[in-house]
Amino acid sequence: MKFKVNNSLKSSKGDKSTPPQQLKLKASPPPNSMKYDRTRDLAMIEQKSKICVTDETCNASTTTCNAGTTSFGPVKVSLGYGQGVTAQPRSFNDPICMNPTNGSTEILHLWNLTPDSHPMHFHLIKFQVIARYKLAEFQAKYNGTNPFTTGLTPIVNQLPWEYEKDMVIAYPNTVTQLRATFDKVGLYVWHCHIVSHEDNEMMLPFCVGKPGVDCPKELFTSAPCPK
């Protein structure tokens, strides 16, 4: 990285910029007063190997093997749609399921069903982080419609710098609640920003606008998508 110092900007009165400790960030509205058009459930899903072993050192999962054996371990983390254990993984080449209306605002729930943190990045949209909840508690209380009536206490509320973001860390076994505005038509992606994850298909496309107008119609299907 190279820094160029412009001596012509020197001032005899010193630095006129605002000291960082005096900066005031834009205030965000409280959750129960937020306007939004719909909710959407996005998921991070760890897919297990179908190879079953008996070695205790490989005790990564018991979800795909018979009694007395366990999965050899995780194969990859996929993105998908849906709530909790009912979420369905998707591949990058699958038909597009995420198609927000241009100008709409959505409450997004990032369900991290994996034991790892993932820095999740959404191209060309801005969002604010509302709160983070324990996944099991949120799933037990959330009715799929009004996201602000669960009565749960967040693990962490919005931090001061989490107002206008395009990337957020989704913590393990946690639901991260976002309020996102989609105001630029086109074909974009959302993905994990760990390079080895996104290169292994932890990335999905989404379209803002009308299929066949703002995004190629061939990328969609008439079959229902996971909600």
Side-chain angles (χ1 to χ4, degrees):
M1 182 181 291
K2 181 179 181 180
F3 292 91
K4 290 185 177 181
V5 179
N6 189 343
N7 289 317
S8 66
L9 298 177
K10 285 185 176 179
S11 171
S12 59
K13 296 182 181 180
D15 186 357
K16 295 183 179 181
S17 60
T18 303
Q21 65 271 22
Q22 295 180 17
L23 291 172
K24 293 184 178 180
L25 299 175
K26 186 177 179 180
S28 61
N32 56 7
S33 68
M34 292 178 181
K35 295 181 179 180
Y36 61 95
D37 298 291
R38 62 159 288 173
T39 61
R40 193 183 299 271
D41 295 291
L42 314 179
M44 288 140 270
I45 307 160
E46 190 169 78
Q47 295 183 264
K48 305 292 185 180
S49 169
K50 294 182 180 179
I51 298 174
C52 298
V53 295
T54 56
D55 188 348
E56 291 183 358
T57 62
C58 296
N59 187 11
S61 168
T62 58
T63 57
T64 60
C65 300
N66 296 324
T69 64
T70 57
S71 169
F72 183 75
V75 175
K76 67 176 182 178
V77 177
S78 297
L79 298 180
Y81 301 100
Q83 301 174 21
V85 296
T86 62
Q88 300 179 33
R90 304 284 291 181
S91 172
F92 186 84
N93 290 324
D94 285 340
I96 288 178
C97 281
M98 186 171 172
N99 182 208
T101 302
N102 182 36
S104 65
T105 296
E106 298 188 358
I107 301 298
L108 304 180
H109 292 127
L110 307 186
W111 297 75
N112 187 354
L113 304 167
T114 81
D116 304 304
S117 294
H118 298 281
M120 299 306 301
H121 177 45
F122 295 78
H123 285 205
L124 273 291
I125 68 169
K126 291 190 296 185
F127 59 76
Q128 75 176 90
V129 180
I130 301 173
R132 294 176 173 89
Y133 297 93
K134 291 182 179 178
L135 191 148
E137 293 181 358
F138 191 82
Q139 185 167 19
K141 294 287 187 178
Y142 179 47
N143 61 10
T145 54
N146 190 335
F148 305 124
T149 59
T150 62
L152 296 174
T153 300
I155 302 171
V156 181
N157 282 308
Q158 178 196 49
L159 299 172
W161 55 86
E162 292 186 320
Y163 183 56
E164 293 186 340
K165 303 275 290 181
D166 62 6
M167 185 168 70
V168 64
I169 296 178
Y171 293 107
N173 301 306
T174 298
V175 175
T176 303
Q177 193 176 62
L178 313 176
R179 179 177 182 265
T181 297
F182 300 86
D183 56 2
K184 294 178 177 62
V185 297
L187 180 64
Y188 307 111
V189 294
W190 63 288
H191 63 92
C192 176
H193 231 297
I194 298 174
V195 175
S196 59
H197 288 189
E198 66 177 69
D199 287 352
N200 199 26
E201 283 213 9
M202 199 175 177
M203 177 187 294
L204 290 178
F206 68 94
C207 171
V208 180
K210 297 180 179 179
V213 178
D214 302 306
C215 305
K217 187 177 182 180
E218 295 76 16
L219 299 179
F220 296 81
T221 179
S222 58
C225 287
K227 295 182 179 181

